[in-house]
C-alpha cells in the first residue's frame, strides 16, 4: 500500500505541470551560467573584431585577458594531446569555462549547478560523446570489434565497461561539489547558532518579523548573521574557487586522456605526453 502511494506521488510529480513541481534550481542556475558564457563570448567577439582593425595597436582589458586565456588553453591542449588535436582546444575551452563558473556560481546565493547529478551527468555525456566519436573516426568499422575482444563471450562485460568514463567523470565531480556544499551548510548553521547565542541578548526578546509577517528567532533571526561574514569567505576560497579550479583541471585532463586513448596510442605514450604537458 505504501509503495503504491510513493509511486503515485512520484508519477504525479513527474507528470505535473505546476512550475513548483518541475522547477529544479540547479538547472536554472546552469542556464544562467550558460547565458553568462554566451554574453562573454559575444562581448569578446566584438571586442576582438574591433581590435583586429588595428592589429598593431596595444591590446588591453578583456581582449588581453582572453588572448592569454585562449593561448594558455590551446598550449595546454597541444602539450597533452599533440599538434594533431589542436582542434580540441575549443571544446576544452568551453568545458573549462562552464565547469569553473558552475563551481563558483554558488557565491551569488543561487544553487550551484554541479550539486545536481543531472548537470554533472550531462557534462560527462559531452566527454562520452567525444570519446566514441573519436573512436569511430579512428577505427571506422573496427570500432565495434572492441565489444567482442578478446572473445565474443565478453560482450556483456565490454558493454558495461563502456559506461565507466561517464560514471567516473560525473560522479567524481558531483561528489566533490555536494560534499563541499554540505560542509558549508553545516558551518553556516553552526556559525548562525553561535552568533545568536552571543548577540541574541542585544535584540529585544530576539523575536523579529520576516518579510511575510511571520515571527522568527534563533539562528533565523538577525542575531545570527554576525560571525559568518568573517569566517566563511576563507572557506569559500577553498570549497568554491580552489576546488573549482582543481575540478576543472581534472575534468579537462581526463577528457583529453580518454580521447587520446582512442587514437591508437600506447598507454605509456599517453602517460609520457600528459607528464610532459604538466611539467611543461
Amino acid at each position: 500500500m505504501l509503495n503504491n502511494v510513493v509511486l503515485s506521488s512520484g508519477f504525479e510529480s513527474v507528470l505535473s505541470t505546476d512550475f513548483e513541481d518541475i522547477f529544479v534550481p540547479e538547472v536554472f542556475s546552469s542556464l544562467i551560467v550558460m547565458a553568462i558564457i554566451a554574453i562573454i563570448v559575444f562581448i569578446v567577439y566584438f571586442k576582438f573584431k574591433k581590435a583586429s582593425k588595428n592589429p598593431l595597436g596595444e591590446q588591453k582589458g578583456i581582449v588581453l585577458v582572453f588572448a592569454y586565456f585562449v593561448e594558455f588553453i590551446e598550449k595546454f591542449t597541444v602539450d597533452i594531446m599533440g599538434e594533431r588535436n589542436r582542434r580540441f582546444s575549443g571544446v576544452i575551452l568551453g568545458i573549462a569555462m562552464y565547469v569553473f563558473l558552475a563551481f563558483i556560481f554558488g557565491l551569488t546565493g543561487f544553487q550551484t549547478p554541479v550539486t545536481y547529478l543531472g548537470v554533472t551527468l550531462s557534462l560527462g555525456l559531452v566527454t562520452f560523446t567525444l570519446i566514441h566519436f573519436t573512436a569511430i573516426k579512428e577505427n571506422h568499422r573496427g570500432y565495434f570489434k572492441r565489444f567482442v575482444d578478446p572473445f565474443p563471450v565478453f560482450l556483456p562485460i565490454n558493454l558495461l565497461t563502456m559506461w565507466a568514463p561517464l560514471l567516473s567523470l560525473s560522479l567524481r565531480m558531483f561528489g566533490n561539489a555536494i560534499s563541499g556544499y554540505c560542509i558549508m551548510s553545516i558551518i553556516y548553521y553552526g556559525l548562525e547558532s553561535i552568533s545568536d547565542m552571543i548577540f541574541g541578548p542585544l535584540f529585544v526578546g530576539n523575536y523579529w518579523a520576516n518579510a511575510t509577517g511571520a515571527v522568527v528567532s534563533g539562528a533565523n533571526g538577525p542575531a545570527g548573521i554576525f560571525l559568518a561574514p568573517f569566517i566563511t569567505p576563507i572557506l569559500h576560497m577553498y570549497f568554491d574557487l580552489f576546488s573549482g579550479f582543481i575540478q576543472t583541471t581534472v575534468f579537462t585532463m581526463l577528457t583529453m586522456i580518454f580521447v587520446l586513448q582512442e587514437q591508437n596510442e600506447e598507454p605509456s605514450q599517453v602517460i609520457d605526453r600528459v607528464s610532459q604537458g604538466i611539467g611543461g
Side-chain angles (χ1 to χ4, degrees):
M1 181 67 179
L2 180 59
N3 290 336
N4 292 335
V5 172
V6 172
L7 287 173
S8 176
S9 176
F11 280 117
E12 288 177 1
S13 177
V14 172
L15 299 175
S16 174
T17 57
D18 291 340
F19 182 73
E20 294 180 355
D21 292 334
I22 62 176
F23 176 74
V24 180
E26 291 85 355
V27 174
F28 179 71
S29 298
S30 179
L31 293 174
I32 295 178
V33 170
M34 288 188 285
I36 292 173
I37 293 175
I39 293 171
I40 293 174
V41 168
F42 276 111
I43 292 175
V44 171
Y45 170 76
F46 288 110
K47 287 286 187 179
F48 269 93
K49 189 175 181 180
K50 182 179 179 181
S52 65
K53 296 179 180 179
N54 184 18
L56 298 179
E58 182 183 1
Q59 292 183 343
K60 56 184 179 180
I62 192 172
V63 174
L64 181 62
V65 171
F66 266 84
Y68 277 118
F69 182 55
V70 171
E71 183 180 359
F72 170 78
I73 294 293
E74 191 173 54
K75 183 179 182 302
F76 182 57
T77 305
V78 171
D79 286 344
I80 292 179
M81 302 186 72
E83 184 64 35
R84 64 175 292 201
N85 292 308
R86 181 182 291 271
R87 65 187 185 278
F88 282 104
S89 60
V91 178
I92 300 301
L93 174 64
I95 293 174
M97 287 183 64
Y98 176 85
V99 173
F100 184 72
L101 288 177
F103 261 93
I104 67 174
F105 191 72
L107 295 174
T108 63
F110 290 93
Q111 290 288 347
T112 306
V114 285
T115 56
Y116 182 58
L117 184 57
V119 171
T120 59
L121 194 61
S122 299
L123 284 168
L125 280 172
V126 173
T127 299
F128 183 81
T129 303
L130 283 175
I131 292 170
H132 290 275
F133 175 80
T134 304
I136 293 173
K137 185 178 180 180
E138 293 287 330
N139 302 293
H140 303 291
R141 294 181 181 179
Y143 165 79
F144 299 98
K145 188 173 180 288
R146 68 174 60 198
F147 298 112
V148 293
D149 279 343
F151 304 105
V153 71
F154 283 89
L155 176 62
I157 297 176
N158 289 332
L159 287 174
L160 288 175
T161 56
M162 176 182 70
W163 301 96
L166 171 61
L167 295 176
S168 173
L169 289 169
S170 58
L171 292 178
R172 178 186 289 106
M173 183 181 296
F174 174 73
N176 278 276
I178 200 68
S179 61
Y181 174 79
C182 291
I183 292 172
M184 288 303 300
S185 297
I186 294 171
I187 291 173
Y188 267 112
Y189 182 80
L191 289 174
E192 288 173 358
S193 299
I194 295 172
S195 179
D196 177 71
M197 287 190 298
I198 297 174
F199 300 102
L202 299 177
F203 296 87
V204 180
N206 197 25
Y207 286 97
W208 296 77
N210 62 15
T212 62
V215 174
V216 295
S217 63
N220 294 320
I225 65 173
F226 294 104
L227 291 182
F230 295 98
I231 298 175
T232 54
I234 301 173
L235 298 175
H236 277 299
M237 288 288 291
Y238 175 79
F239 288 110
D240 292 312
L241 294 177
F242 180 72
S243 182
F245 174 77
I246 293 298
Q247 291 304 312
T248 300
T249 304
V250 170
F251 190 91
T252 52
M253 286 191 63
L254 287 177
T255 297
M256 291 187 280
I257 291 171
F258 285 140
V259 172
L260 269 180
Q261 290 176 338
E262 301 299 333
Q263 295 182 339
N264 300 320
E265 293 199 27
E266 295 294 329
S268 58
Q269 294 177 332
V270 175
I271 294 173
D272 291 340
R273 194 189 298 277
V274 172
S275 60
Q276 292 173 3
I278 296 174

